[in-house]
């Protein structure tokens, strides 16, 4: 069944001394677009994350947020960036001298400036980190896809019911179309009698005119194609693959056939039904913009 491109999923696990959280959210997009935020020292996982998520998600603008907190900090060491600290002290002294201010700053003041204190951690096993993040990401993606599937079911029901309305309306047009030809025949005979009186009619000529009219207003080919397109649309709805773009193209074809029927018909009842179909097509088009 189709899935929505809107979704959210989050997972948190404590693994081997780390607390790892992965959060995913997405909105509509024509293709797959991925962006991520993760701790600077773990930037090596970003490309792997993108490939992993793309293997499960085909379309949508996906944002991924990753946090990795080490519970064991014994291996961490704090170093002083002496070059930067010296520059800050020099600048502070210059401010004090220039503006005749008291030099009331101490080590704690300097230490609060950005990047003066540098936390150095022992080298970590990148493959180990990635495998842990992947296991959490997999859980988050499963929840993410589950939400997409729930939203997809709602769109499935809506598009299916609208497609049924279109099929019912097509049935009306198929029944009504031959009636318009008979009505044209009756009106033509009546008009000739009004103009010429009770004269013998050339039935061959009348039939020829009616045949020409019938050919002009015939919509059998269009209704057959419409039914075929609706059938294909429903097959797409049942698909587990990413079919949103294919459905968008198919809806354009459905709209084209409907326009052709509208241009051919010379009947108020059919014209009104064409308007109804076009209204449903537009609603279907809006829905499938959010289908993966």
């Amino acid at each position: 069944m189709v899935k929505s491109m809107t979704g959210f999923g989050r997972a948190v696990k404590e693994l081997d001394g780390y607390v790892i959280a992965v959060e995913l959210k997405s909105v509509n997009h024509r293709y797959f677009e991925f962006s991520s935020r993760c701790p600077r020292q773990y930037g090596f996982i970003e490309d792997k994350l993108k490939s992993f998520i793309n293997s499960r998600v085909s379309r949508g603008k996906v944002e991924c947020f990753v946090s990795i907190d080490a519970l064991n900090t014994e291996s961490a060491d704090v170093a002083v960036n002496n070059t930067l600290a010296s520059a800050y002290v020099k600048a502070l002294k210059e401010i004090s001298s220039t503006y005749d201010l008291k030099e009331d700053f101490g080590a704690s003041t300097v230490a609060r400036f950005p990047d003066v204190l540098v936390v150095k951690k022992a080298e970590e096993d990148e493959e180990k980190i990635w495998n842990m993040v992947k296991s959490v990401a997999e859980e988050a993606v499963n929840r993410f896809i589950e939400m997409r599937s729930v939203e997809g079911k709602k769109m499935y029901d809506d598009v299916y019911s609208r497609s049924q309305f279109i099929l019912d309306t097509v049935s009306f047009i198929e029944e009504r179309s031959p009636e318009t030809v008979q009505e044209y025949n009756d009106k033509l005979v009546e008009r000739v009698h009004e103009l010429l009186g009770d004269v013998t009619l050339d039935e061959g000529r009348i039939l020829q005119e009616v045949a020409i009219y019938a050919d002009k207003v015939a919509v059998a080919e269009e209704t057959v194609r419409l039914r075929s397109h609706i059938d294909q649309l429903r097959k797409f709805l049942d698909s587990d693959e990413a079919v949103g773009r294919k459905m968008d193209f198919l809806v354009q074809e459905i709209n084209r056939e409907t326009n052709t029927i509208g241009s051919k018909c010379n009947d108020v009842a059919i014209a009104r039904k064409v308007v109804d179909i076009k209204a449903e097509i537009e609603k279907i088009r809006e829905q499938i913009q959010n289908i993966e």
Side-chain angles (χ1 to χ4, degrees):
M1 186 178 295
V2 293
K3 300 180 184 69
S4 168
M5 279 194 283
T6 302
F8 176 84
R10 189 173 191 274
V12 181
K13 284 184 179 181
E14 182 178 331
L15 298 169
D16 199 17
Y18 292 86
V19 176
I20 300 173
V22 177
E23 182 177 298
L24 295 168
K25 63 179 182 179
S26 69
V27 294
N28 299 4
H29 197 273
R30 189 174 182 183
Y31 304 105
F32 176 79
E33 182 177 304
F34 180 84
S35 61
S36 63
R37 293 183 192 173
C38 62
R40 186 183 305 173
Q41 65 268 36
Y42 299 111
F44 61 87
I45 69 172
E46 291 187 350
D47 286 341
K48 294 180 179 181
L49 255 178
K50 179 179 180 180
S51 297
F52 173 70
I53 293 172
N54 195 195
S55 69
R56 303 284 305 277
V57 179
S58 299
R59 290 181 71 205
K61 184 177 181 180
V62 181
E63 292 181 300
C64 180
F65 304 89
V66 181
S67 65
I68 305 173
D69 296 316
L71 298 178
N72 179 13
T73 58
E74 293 178 0
S75 60
D77 185 25
V78 179
V80 179
N81 186 334
N82 288 298
T83 302
L84 190 59
S86 177
Y88 280 127
V89 170
K90 181 179 178 182
L92 289 171
K93 287 183 175 180
E94 183 178 340
I95 292 173
S96 297
S97 174
T98 303
Y99 299 101
D100 194 24
L101 299 173
K102 181 181 179 181
E103 292 186 10
D104 58 353
F105 59 88
S108 60
T109 302
V110 178
R112 283 197 291 268
F113 286 112
D115 300 322
V116 169
L117 298 181
V118 181
V119 179
K120 294 183 178 180
K121 293 184 179 180
E123 289 293 326
E124 294 176 301
D125 185 337
E126 292 188 0
E127 192 62 29
K128 174 185 173 182
I129 297 294
W130 162 240
N131 286 330
M132 291 191 295
V133 171
K134 182 180 178 182
S135 70
V136 181
E138 186 166 15
E139 188 174 317
V141 169
N142 288 339
R143 293 175 181 174
F144 174 78
I145 292 175
E146 183 180 353
M147 180 176 176
R148 280 186 154 203
S149 297
V150 171
E151 293 297 317
K153 178 62 168 62
K154 295 177 183 178
M155 290 187 287
Y156 175 99
D157 293 339
D158 185 72
V159 173
Y160 195 95
S161 65
R162 295 188 188 282
S163 70
Q164 186 58 51
F165 175 86
I166 293 175
L167 287 178
D168 294 341
T169 308
V170 167
S171 296
F172 171 86
I173 292 173
E174 289 171 334
E175 293 175 6
R176 175 62 185 158
S177 186
E179 294 175 359
T180 64
V181 176
Q182 182 59 48
E183 290 173 3
Y184 178 79
N185 178 83
D186 296 342
K187 289 179 181 178
L188 184 61
V189 172
E190 182 182 347
R191 183 64 174 160
V192 170
H193 278 304
E194 288 177 358
L195 293 174
L196 303 178
D198 296 328
V199 298
T200 302
L201 299 179
D202 184 347
E203 292 187 6
R205 180 60 178 166
I206 294 292
L207 290 174
Q208 184 180 8
E209 289 295 328
V210 172
I212 292 172
Y213 176 80
D215 185 60
K216 286 182 179 180
V217 300
V219 293
E221 291 183 9
E222 287 76 15
T223 57
V224 166
R225 284 196 290 268
L226 261 178
R227 289 184 178 278
S228 175
H229 292 333
I230 294 297
D231 182 62
Q232 185 63 52
L233 184 71
R234 289 180 168 183
K235 288 179 180 177
F236 283 151
L237 285 173
D238 290 322
S239 175
D240 290 327
E241 299 177 0
V243 293
R245 294 179 65 189
K246 292 180 180 179
M247 292 179 73
D248 189 42
F249 173 77
L250 192 59
V251 167
Q252 292 179 38
E253 294 301 305
I254 293 173
N255 191 60
R256 183 177 292 110
E257 299 298 340
T258 304
N259 284 336
T260 302
I261 293 174
S263 65
K264 281 187 172 185
C265 75
N266 192 24
D267 179 74
V268 174
I270 292 179
R272 287 174 178 169
K273 292 298 182 181
V274 167
V275 172
D276 291 340
I277 291 177
K278 288 178 70 66
E280 293 304 303
I281 290 173
E282 190 57 35
K283 291 171 183 175
I284 290 175
R285 192 197 306 276
E286 291 174 2
Q287 284 285 26
I288 66 176
Q289 296 306 310
N290 195 35
I291 289 179
E292 184 180 14

